[in-house]
Amino acid sequence: MLNVFIALGIGLALGGVIGWLLAARRSATSAAPADSQPLIEELRSRSAASEAELADTRTQLTAAKTQCATAEAEREAARQLLEQQRTLHEQALREARVSQTKA
């Protein structure tokens, strides 16, 4: 029976020490954010700068896509115009050959 009381006393003492250590650790961790405020502000500043750079890059990408689409449309229009001119030239050549053979 005495062994049970000794084990219970040792358990309570160890529990008290562990609880005290955990409480001291938590209070030290809660004090750390006040010390790290400059670091937090720097990270926020960097994050804002990154977001601004990302927005600028997205704007540039949108402009580049617009320019690319415009260039492709102009190329297609030029191709169609070339095809029409080629058809007209071939037709004019045939007509010139026909009129030349008649003459």
Side-chain angles (χ1 to χ4, degrees):
M1 187 78 166
L2 184 62
N3 289 337
V4 173
F5 287 123
I6 292 174
L8 184 62
I10 292 173
L12 286 173
L14 285 175
V17 169
I18 291 172
W20 178 75
L21 288 174
L22 288 176
R25 182 176 176 199
R26 284 192 183 147
S27 67
T29 327
S30 65
D35 296 340
S36 63
Q37 193 63 30
L39 179 61
I40 291 172
E41 292 301 320
E42 167 129 11
L43 290 175
R44 284 184 182 152
S45 171
R46 286 185 183 182
S47 175
S50 294
E51 287 177 13
E53 185 178 348
L54 178 62
D56 185 43
T57 304
R58 284 183 178 160
T59 303
Q60 290 175 359
L61 177 63
T62 303
K65 284 182 178 180
T66 302
Q67 288 176 348
C68 183
T70 302
E72 287 179 5
E74 288 175 353
R75 182 179 55 93
E76 182 62 25
R79 188 192 63 76
Q80 289 177 356
L81 181 62
L82 179 64
E83 192 64 36
Q84 288 174 354
Q85 287 178 350
R86 182 176 290 139
T87 304
L88 287 174
H89 285 295
E90 288 174 357
Q91 182 181 3
L93 181 62
R94 279 192 304 264
E95 289 175 3
R97 284 185 181 160
V98 168
S99 66
Q100 189 178 23
T101 57
K102 286 183 182 179

